[in-house]
Amino acid sequence: MADPRLYLPPSHSGERIHGLLQTLSLPRPTDIVPLASSAAFHRIYILSYPASALQPHLPSQHFPSQISDTDLILRISGPHFTSIKTRNEIGFLKWVAQNTDVPVPEVVAYDATTNNELGHEFMITTRLRGVSFDGVREQLQAAGKAAQYEAHLSQFLLQMGDILEMLQRRTWSHIGGLQVRGPEDRDDAAAEIIVPGPVIDEQMWLQPELATIWGPHETHGSVNVGGPFASYTESLGAEADRHVHAIQRLSSLAALRQDLPRILAFRAALREHAAQLNETRLILAHRDLHFGNVMWDPEGMRITGILDWEFAGVVPIQRWDPVRAFLWNCVEADESKVEKARLAERVRESHGAFLEETRWSSPRQEHMQLAINFMRAIVQVLPRGQIDRPWEKWRESMLEHIDHVCAD
C-alpha cells in the first residue's frame, strides 16, 4: 500500500482550531495539545476544558464512568479517501453505541467535507479514560511484574472474547460499510439513520494517487471497489473487475495482461459456483483489534473502549480479521507473532464458538479469497514502483488459486 503519512494534513494552530470550535458552538478549551505521534490518516489533538464548561456539550453517555469529562479528541483527516472514511467511522461509532454494550468514543461533532474552518474533514469525540493495553503490557513487563501482567491479561482476553461475541451477534444482509444519512437527506427530516455504505479498507487507492498513477480521467470511485454488495461473490467479483481495469489501463501492469483470460474465467467461476462460495454469515467486524486500539482501566481491570473504527466493515465472517491484527501487541518482532497466536488460542478456549465459525466453508471458498489477495497485492505494488516485492511468486500463487476455483 502507499504510505498514507505522505498525505497527512498540516499542523493547525490553536487559533485555527478555536475558530472551528466557535462555528460549532463549542466552548473555548483551556489547552490544545497535539499528539506527538499522529495516526497514519489523521492528526490528533486533545482539547482540555474545566468539567463544568464541557459537561453541557457532551452527548448522552452510555458509559459515563469511562468517558473523560474534561477532554475531547479532535481528529483532522488528510485527503486520502474524500469523505467515505469519515462517514464510515461515524456510522460504526453511532451504530455500535446504539445497539451494543461495546464501549466506544461518542461523537460530538464531525464534517465529512472540507467546507469548514480547517479545510479538512474532521471529527470530535469524547475521550475514553484509561491507557491503551500495549502501554500496560510494556510498563508491567519492563518492571518485571509478570504475575501482575498475567492478571490483567487474563481479564483482558475474557473481555475481548465478549466483545467479539457482541459484534458478531447480528447477521447482516450486505457487505460494505455503514454511513449516517442525516435529516437533509430525508423527506421527513426526523432524525439521522444509519444505512449501508461502500467498502473501505487501507489497501484502497488513495485520492492523491489519482493524479500520480491513474491520470485525469479516473475518479476515486472508478478505481476502487465501491459497494455495498449483497453477497461474498458479488463483492469479490467487483474487486476482480477493478483489478482487470487496472491491468488494462496501467502500463506498469502490462506483464499481467497475458493472464486476463484466466482472470476473466475466474470471474465467471464466481457466478457459476456462487451458491457454494456464498456459504457464510455476514457480520460486523472492527478488523484492527490490536492492543493499541483497546483502552484499559488498570485499576478496575476492564476495557474502557475500542478506538479507530474507520476501516470497520460488514464482512463475511471468515474475513473478520483480514490483516491478522487481533491481539497483536504493537511490537514489530517475530516473537510478537508467536505471542499473538498463543493469546488467540486462549480466547478460543473461552469463546470457541465464534472462532470456529470463522473457518472456510469449503476449499474453493478459501482459494477464491486467496486468488483475490494475490491479485490485489500485485496490482497495488507494481504501479507504485515497488518492483522489489516478490510479485512474480505472487502471480504464480494467484494463478494456482484461480485454477482451483475454476476446476469442475
Side-chain angles (χ1 to χ4, degrees), residues 159-174:
Q159 293 173 44
M160 286 298 288
D162 291 342
I163 285 173
L164 288 183
E165 288 190 345
M166 279 189 276
L167 293 178
Q168 63 85 38
R169 196 167 289 158
R170 169 172 170 169
T171 298
W172 296 72
S173 59
H174 80 280

Side-chain angles (χ1 to χ4, degrees), residues 58 116 180 205 217 262:
L58 294 178
N116 55 64
V180 171
W205 293 103
H217 302 298
R262 293 169 76 176

Side-chain angles (χ1 to χ4, degrees), residues 220-248:
H220 195 262
S222 70
V223 300
N224 288 307
V225 66
F229 301 101
S231 69
Y232 199 176
T233 55
E234 184 181 322
S235 68
L236 292 195
E239 182 170 350
D241 290 344
R242 292 301 89 210
H243 297 326
V244 167
H245 178 63
I247 293 167
Q248 292 171 332

Side-chain angles (χ1 to χ4, degrees), residues 284-340:
L284 186 156
H286 181 283
R287 299 199 290 183
D288 200 20
L289 286 173
H290 58 71
F291 282 11
N293 278 337
V294 185
M295 298 298 288
W296 182 253
D297 172 10
E299 294 185 6
M301 288 210 295
R302 61 174 180 167
I303 291 174
T304 59
I306 306 295
L307 304 175
D308 288 358
W309 292 80
E310 56 205 324
F311 297 113
V314 176
V315 299
I317 196 168
Q318 292 87 352
R319 297 289 291 162
W320 74 280
D321 184 32
V323 295
R324 297 184 177 90
F326 184 56
L327 302 179
W328 177 49
N329 59 27
C330 299
V331 177
E332 296 284 357
D334 291 339
E335 294 81 0
S336 296
K337 297 179 182 179
V338 175
E339 179 183 358
K340 181 176 63 174

Side-chain angles (χ1 to χ4, degrees), residues 45-185:
Y45 299 81
I46 301 173
L47 314 178
S48 297
Y49 297 87
S52 57
L54 188 56
Q55 193 64 39
H57 301 275
L58 294 178
S60 173
Q61 297 171 29
H62 296 270
F63 307 96
S65 65
Q66 295 165 220
I67 291 175
S68 168
D69 59 359
T70 59
D71 293 331
L72 296 176
I73 299 295
L74 167 63
R75 288 170 44 179
I76 305 174
S77 297
H80 304 85
F81 295 107
T82 312
S83 87
I84 62 172
K85 180 175 73 70
T86 299
R87 292 184 186 278
N88 194 66
E89 183 155 22
I90 295 298
F92 277 98
L93 286 175
K94 287 180 175 284
W95 191 93
V96 170
Q98 294 168 12
N99 294 278
T100 77
D101 290 328
V102 177
V104 294
E106 296 203 52
V107 179
V108 176
Y110 73 96
D111 191 344
T113 77
T114 57
N115 301 322
N116 55 64
E117 186 73 18
L118 301 178
H120 290 273
E121 299 173 38
F122 72 87
M123 70 171 64
I124 299 175
T125 66
T126 54
R127 185 183 186 186
L128 298 171
R129 298 184 189 275
V131 295
S132 58
F133 197 75
D134 61 318
V136 175
R137 175 186 180 275
E138 181 181 2
Q139 181 181 9
L140 293 178
Q141 289 194 341
K145 298 180 178 180
Q148 189 174 346
Y149 174 61
E150 177 56 35
H152 283 267
L153 182 63
S154 295
Q155 286 300 312
F156 176 81
L157 295 177
L158 287 172
Q159 293 173 44
M160 286 298 288
D162 291 342
I163 285 173
L164 288 183
E165 288 190 345
M166 279 189 276
L167 293 178
Q168 63 85 38
R169 196 167 289 158
R170 169 172 170 169
T171 298
W172 296 72
S173 59
H174 80 280
I175 292 175
L178 294 177
Q179 291 186 348
V180 171
R181 191 169 72 190
E184 70 279 2
D185 298 319

Side-chain angles (χ1 to χ4, degrees), residues 172-210:
W172 296 72
S173 59
H174 80 280
I175 292 175
L178 294 177
Q179 291 186 348
V180 171
R181 191 169 72 190
E184 70 279 2
D185 298 319
R186 299 182 61 196
D187 293 334
D188 60 1
E192 60 188 14
I193 60 172
I194 298 170
V195 298
V199 171
I200 177 170
D201 64 49
E202 296 177 78
Q203 309 302 323
M204 293 170 63
W205 293 103
L206 304 181
Q207 183 72 24
E209 292 181 303
L210 295 180

Side-chain angles (χ1 to χ4, degrees), residues 313-377:
V314 176
V315 299
I317 196 168
Q318 292 87 352
R319 297 289 291 162
W320 74 280
D321 184 32
V323 295
R324 297 184 177 90
F326 184 56
L327 302 179
W328 177 49
N329 59 27
C330 299
V331 177
E332 296 284 357
D334 291 339
E335 294 81 0
S336 296
K337 297 179 182 179
V338 175
E339 179 183 358
K340 181 176 63 174
R342 178 174 57 83
L343 297 183
E345 187 57 36
R346 290 175 62 174
V347 174
R348 185 181 297 276
E349 292 172 2
S350 61
H351 296 78
F354 165 73
L355 294 176
E356 285 301 315
E357 198 179 356
T358 65
R359 297 182 185 277
W360 300 106
S361 65
S362 67
R364 193 191 303 271
Q365 187 185 67
E366 183 178 12
H367 286 303
M368 170 183 69
Q369 184 61 61
L370 291 173
I372 285 289
N373 290 354
F374 284 110
M375 195 182 306
R376 178 193 304 137

